[in-house]
């Protein structure tokens, strides 16, 4: 399978990001790794519906349904496959390729209802981060680890889930 960059859909200039979302409110979230410049503004390859829990160093920590968490895991694995091909094309092989890949896009997988994130490449005490659902079956995917922010839904190419509105 060959990975190619396709032209992004032309949907106009995205709205400004809303920094006023409060804990308990629902919205759409993405990280800079999903961002690309577009028509003088920013767009995102994917956004994920969830509920803001709190802020961590100014970034959003949010929870989501299993379906949305599964989309994050799937997108992460697609990014790993894409980056692996780019690294291989640049001449990296073997352990060096794996180290670059694992520090850039850590492997995520499912163990039953638990998301497992491989953190070995970061040399941390906890080699595997296990993200379990809370008592309501919701996941906090890499909250406090990744720099998530609120994103207007119309600034996204792909939307995973539907934000609950009061």
């Amino acid at each position: 399978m060959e990975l190619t960059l396709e032209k992004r859909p032309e949907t106009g200039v995205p709205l400004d990001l809303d920094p006023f979302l409060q804990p308990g409110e629902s919205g759409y979230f993405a990280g800079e790794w999903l961002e690309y410049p577009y028509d003088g503004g920013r767009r995102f390859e994917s956004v994920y519906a969830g509920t803001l829990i709190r802020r961590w160093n100014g970034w959003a920590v949010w929870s989501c349904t299993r379906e949305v968490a599964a989309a994050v895991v799937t997108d992460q694995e697609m990014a790993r496959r894409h980056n692996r091909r780019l690294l291989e094309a640049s001449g990296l092989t073997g352990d060096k390729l794996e180290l670059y890949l694992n520090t850039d896009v850590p492997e995520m997988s499912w163990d039953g209802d638990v998301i497992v994130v491989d953190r070995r490449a970061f040399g941390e005490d906890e080699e595997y981060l296990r993200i379990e659902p809370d008592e309501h079956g919701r996941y906090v995917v890499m909250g406090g680890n990744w720099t998530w922010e609120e994103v207007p839904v119309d600034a996204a190419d792909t939307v995973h889930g539907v934000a609950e509105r009061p």
Side-chain angles (χ1 to χ4, degrees):
M1 177 176 118
E2 182 180 343
L3 294 174
T4 60
L5 297 175
E6 298 175 6
K7 185 176 180 195
R8 302 287 181 195
E10 299 209 12
T11 59
V13 177
L15 298 175
D16 291 331
L17 300 178
D18 178 10
F20 302 110
L21 195 67
Q22 297 298 310
E25 294 180 338
S26 295
Y28 295 92
F29 302 88
E32 55 85 19
W33 58 94
L34 298 164
E35 178 183 339
Y36 64 92
Y38 179 80
D39 197 21
R42 302 175 353 167
R43 283 194 61 81
F44 297 83
E45 294 174 11
S46 291
V47 298
Y48 308 95
T51 302
L52 183 67
I53 297 172
R54 63 182 170 85
R55 301 265 178 210
W56 164 74
N57 293 330
W59 301 105
V61 176
W62 54 282
S63 70
C64 62
T65 64
R66 180 185 170 100
E67 292 75 25
V68 172
V72 174
V73 172
T74 298
D75 283 355
Q76 184 78 352
E77 288 309 302
M78 287 174 48
R80 279 182 62 80
R81 285 193 300 274
H82 178 76
N83 283 10
R84 176 179 297 281
R85 296 220 172 152
L86 292 175
L87 291 169
E88 289 170 341
S90 75
L92 285 177
T93 60
D95 290 343
K96 194 169 188 177
L97 180 142
E98 293 304 317
L99 179 61
Y100 274 79
L101 180 64
N102 292 335
T103 54
D104 187 37
V105 187
E107 183 177 0
M108 298 178 86
S109 60
W110 288 95
D111 179 12
D113 287 335
V114 177
I115 300 169
V116 179
V117 183
D118 186 343
R119 306 284 292 170
R120 292 177 294 176
F122 298 96
E124 297 180 6
D125 292 336
E126 187 178 17
E127 292 184 346
Y128 294 95
L129 176 63
R130 297 180 60 82
I131 303 169
E132 298 184 17
D134 67 13
E135 63 275 5
H136 305 290
R138 296 180 67 85
Y139 293 81
V140 179
V141 181
M142 299 306 290
N145 290 286
W146 288 357
T147 53
W148 295 103
E149 63 183 315
E150 302 86 76
V151 176
V153 69
D154 64 345
D157 297 339
T158 304
V159 177
H160 299 283
V162 176
E164 303 156 2
R165 296 293 178 207

